[in-house]
Amino acid sequence: MVDVQLLGPVELSAEGHAVEVGPPQRRTVMAALAVDIGRPVAVDVVIERVWGPRAPDGARGAVHAHVARIRRVCERAAETSRDPLLLVRRSGGYLLEARPDQVDVYRFRQLVDQARAAGPADPVRAVLLREALDLWRGEPLSGLNGEWAARMREAWRRQHQDAAVGWARAELRHGDPAPVIGPLTGLLGEYPLAEPLAEALMRALHETGRSAEALDCYAAVRKRLAEELGTDTGPALRQLHQSILRGHRSTATPRPQPSAVIRQTEHPAQLPMSVRGFTGRDGELARLATILASAEGESAAVVISAVSGMAGVGKTALAVHWARRVERAFPDGQLYVNLRGFDPQGALVQPTEAVRGFLDALGVRPERVPPGLEAQVGLYRSLLTGRRMMVVLDNARDEEQVRPLLPGAVGCMALVTSRNRLTGLAATEGAHLLAVDPLTPAAARNVLAERLGVGRVAAEPAAVADLVTWCAGLPLALAVVSARAAAQPHQPLGTLAEELREAGGRLDALDGGEESSQVRAVFSWSYSALSPAAARLFRLLALHPGPDLDQRAAAALADVPPERVRPLLAELTVGHLLVEHAPGRYAFHDLLRVYAAELVIAYDDEWERRSARHRMMDHYLHSARAADVLVTPQPNPVEAPAPRPGANPVEFEDYDRALAWLVAEHPVLLALVRQPQPGFDAHVWRLVTVLTTFLDRHGYWQALLTAGHRALAAAEREGDLTGRAGAHRGLGLALDRLKCPEPAREHYLRALELFAAAGSDAGQARTHQHLSRMSGGQGNAERALEHAYRSLEHYRAAGDRAGQAAALNHIGWRLAHLGDHLRALGHCEQALELARAAGDVDGQAHISDSLGYIHHQLGGYQQAVDRYRQAAQLFHATGERHSEAACLTCLGDSHRSAGQSDAAREVWIRALALTTELGLPDDDPIRAGLRDRLGDGPLS
């Protein structure tokens, strides 16, 4: 095979042997063609890449001469290869004809994309990234001069750095840290200011016992940052440094529990990707910079609310671009949420959902999330105190949707975008208002020049003026137009403008909040250029509720295999009709969703639309059902008819992947439940039943309450006993968590009646378990014990070992608190055997904690120490850090009772440090108790 190598000196390789291309100028021509492999490159573009904007008079002739010599080199190399490289002339330019994987930079990107698709928990990720890194042979485009080569080199180096960090993290997660130290040291030499690389190297050194070298590495990086950038290390590196100083050693978590998976970093970075080629907003950017500068020293958070304007005017692009530009001013991270205030499907994001997502991003464990919006907002604002963070609230409907999400901390900034001018925020919160208007014709022309090249735009001023007019100054429309024009570089812009003019004459006005027949014409013009399969997919995607979807869900809608839908999604994203806003996840712009919805009604009959919806509902129901079976060990999953052909439900290999899917997809699943689904009531109540445990464990209790009401209505319309029972159980659970015990009990009791009538032991067992916990929390130990025994009875009838273990532990715990410690001990030891047999790690942690308590009460302090230590290790492995802190407190008590005062104090110090990491307030019972045990006064 003949390969083109750009990641190092520019060379050809035939069957592994290097083939000399020629002098630097010829190698630049070769690289200029290879970066667009499979696409014609205009001669003017080649000239600009080789010589820049001031090319000599003989540049065109020189290009032809170089191409002729490169063609002969390719022909000679092809004599010994089955996969030749062809250089051919096309209208307006030259085409290097080969497969993308014959160019090393394309192969590098393919491997990185495959690694990203594999997911962070997949061991193959490290193998793929190592293979990608091995393609680098030194500095990209080595020996080539000029602005274009410098730009490409810098962009590829950033990709190389990202891949190196990803490889190091994957190796540290799955392999021996020792082998990565050498490569990481070399990479940090190449990128001496890359903190993620330094963090990975420090972890590897520390894990192999070379902590002193890890600390030296930190000192060196800190010194370089101070000398070259005038900044200090980021929070993540500082935290790791402190952890090494304290002697802590990180441990792998073999099977993360929900809290461990969703817990992100204390330095969240949630901003979407920036728009490529952003331009034309110098005035707005200057205004934002002025507002930020004037806010220095003020005593309140700054809010810019009126990044406001019509749909498609580029509010989000402006906000994200500016937020990324000022990242250094907010070193503690960025929070972002799309509030979907004008979503055509009506899927408005409530403040309860948004603040709950922020708490996840800030590292709050589900068990520490308080019930109720007011308490959650209070916690959110407390966590921002003392930090400098940017909070971007995108696409807000009104002031009331925004107010609970505003930070109250000095140094934080909220950037709000909306189609409405949120004057109420200016009046009450002192917000600065900034209106974003459509681009001027001159600015719109600059956008086209940025994307299509100055020469091409200057060559056809009349056609460009027509394109600018039809785009109405909207960046969204300009992006669609420029994508179409870029895809046809040989076609005159005048031809494209004529097509657009004809399309505009045939179409009505687009009702997307504003009337703009010109924008509708732009959309239709781009839609008409799609292949039939991509056009059909575009229409059917309008049936999806949002906020986004992945490749498998798109395949289910279109009734095609997942591997065949990928190029269709790529076609839509290249044409800017769909956005890949995160790797592997696709979303519509609101106006484009409206347009697609019109088309699906116009072109696809009722049978086609209903079939697509049925496949989509089956896809999500059966995928969620499969995930729930792994995340919540149970032998009695929700019954459901077999999925329709083409539904493509996900089959999960393990717990980690199942939980990751639920974390990613639960906003979509809730949207399916919230929005009317005529004819799919059975799917709705089953979906809520499947989601109940996930929503409860993650603290989405308000969402569970709303979903429970929808499920109950759907099950009543269906007349399904099991569906009604499950809905009542979910409603009871939500109200129980939200501190409404009386209505919760009513729903629980109604659920018991219906589960009994339906003959569901599994349903009755779970409901009795809820009632036992709630009764115990209300101080009614006898009633709690009665419900626990009933739960055990039904779990046994259902054949659920993990459930039996939970029920036996409940019984043991209640008996212990009633003073019957010997009976309690027998029940909990039996529970531990069942939990081990069922592979329930979370259950083993809680049962070991119960056994520690019982042994302590019986005076077996050393046995209590052993059990508490086991429980603490399991809580640490499962990510339940709050439970770990409580368990360490009890472990210290048992050490003290056993006469081991030094061991007790050491454990209590560990527990107090953990409460500090968790951000618990001084009046938290665990933290206050630890201070009393250690003899500390109030903490500053």
Side-chain angles (χ1 to χ4, degrees), residues 29 55 58 84 219 237 303 330 368 449 531 556 590 597 674 689 695 697 909 921 928 935:
V29 173
L237 211 56
V303 179
F330 300 96
R368 299 301 298 157
S531 67
D590 290 352
R674 282 194 297 257
T689 302
L695 295 174
R697 284 185 179 177
I909 290 173

Side-chain angles (χ1 to χ4, degrees), residues 131-419:
E131 185 178 350
L133 294 173
D134 287 342
L135 293 171
W136 286 66
R137 299 170 297 111
E139 182 181 62
L141 306 179
S142 176
L144 303 191
N145 299 319
E147 294 179 4
W148 174 78
R151 287 198 308 271
M152 300 305 296
R153 192 177 293 123
E154 183 59 29
W156 294 345
R157 284 171 61 85
R158 286 196 295 270
Q159 295 170 22
H160 184 235
Q161 179 179 324
D162 291 343
V165 171
W167 166 75
R169 289 173 175 168
E171 286 285 4
L172 290 174
R173 183 182 180 98
H174 295 290
D176 181 1
V180 308
I181 292 174
L184 281 176
T185 303
L187 287 166
L188 190 59
E190 287 186 58
Y191 307 108
L193 303 179
E195 291 188 57
L197 277 178
E199 180 184 351
L201 177 56
M202 287 172 63
R203 288 189 188 280
L205 289 167
H206 182 50
E207 289 299 315
T208 53
R210 298 161 64 177
S211 300
E213 293 178 56
L215 296 175
D216 289 342
C217 175
Y218 176 84
V221 171
R222 188 180 187 187
K223 181 180 179 182
R224 284 196 296 267
L225 288 169
E227 291 176 350
E228 299 189 32
L229 301 179
T231 63
D232 199 1
T233 54
L237 211 56
R238 290 199 300 272
Q239 184 178 2
L240 176 59
H241 178 243
Q242 290 300 313
S243 178
I244 295 173
L245 287 174
R246 292 195 297 267
H248 293 176
R249 180 163 294 183
S250 62
T251 56
T253 54
R255 199 184 77 162
Q257 294 294 304
S259 55
V261 171
I262 68 167
R263 187 173 193 260
Q264 299 179 22
T265 172
E266 294 182 1
H267 182 86
Q270 294 188 318
L271 291 177
M273 293 182 286
S274 296
V275 174
R276 183 180 65 83
F278 180 88
T279 188
R281 293 296 185 190
D282 293 343
E284 289 85 349
L285 292 170
R287 170 65 175 151
L288 289 170
T290 300
I291 292 170
L292 177 60
S294 66
E296 292 296 329
E298 290 188 7
S299 60
V302 180
V303 179
I304 297 96
S305 65
V307 175
S308 60
M310 65 182 292
V313 80
K315 302 180 294 296
T316 298
L318 171 65
V320 171
H321 179 82
W322 188 76
R324 287 198 173 277
R325 174 185 278 193
V326 297
E327 279 182 357
R328 290 188 178 277
F330 300 96
D332 295 313
Q334 314 91 34
L335 297 171
Y336 171 89
V337 62
N338 180 0
L339 295 170
R340 304 181 72 189
F342 301 88
D343 188 280
Q345 303 283 357
L348 187 80
V349 173
Q350 299 296 332
T352 51
E353 298 176 59
V355 76
R356 184 64 182 77
F358 285 170
L359 292 177
D360 279 346
L362 291 166
V364 179
R365 303 291 179 185
E367 66 269 18
R368 299 301 298 157
V369 176
L373 176 62
E374 185 175 349
Q376 291 180 6
V377 169
L379 176 59
Y380 157 64
R381 288 177 175 160
S382 297
L383 291 172
L384 264 59
T385 300
R387 301 187 183 190
R388 290 186 61 83
M389 295 191 73
M390 168 71 74
V391 181
V392 179
L393 308 174
D394 191 19
N395 201 11
R397 177 173 286 276
D398 52 33
E399 292 88 345
E400 296 309 309
Q401 191 185 18
V402 167
R403 282 195 174 98
L405 308 176
L406 298 177
V410 176
C412 290
M413 184 172 191
L415 186 56
V416 187
T417 75
S418 177
R419 295 186 196 176

Side-chain angles (χ1 to χ4, degrees), residues 590-601:
D590 290 352
L591 288 181
L592 285 164
R593 181 184 289 278
V594 171
Y595 179 59
E598 291 180 352
L599 292 178
V600 78
I601 295 295

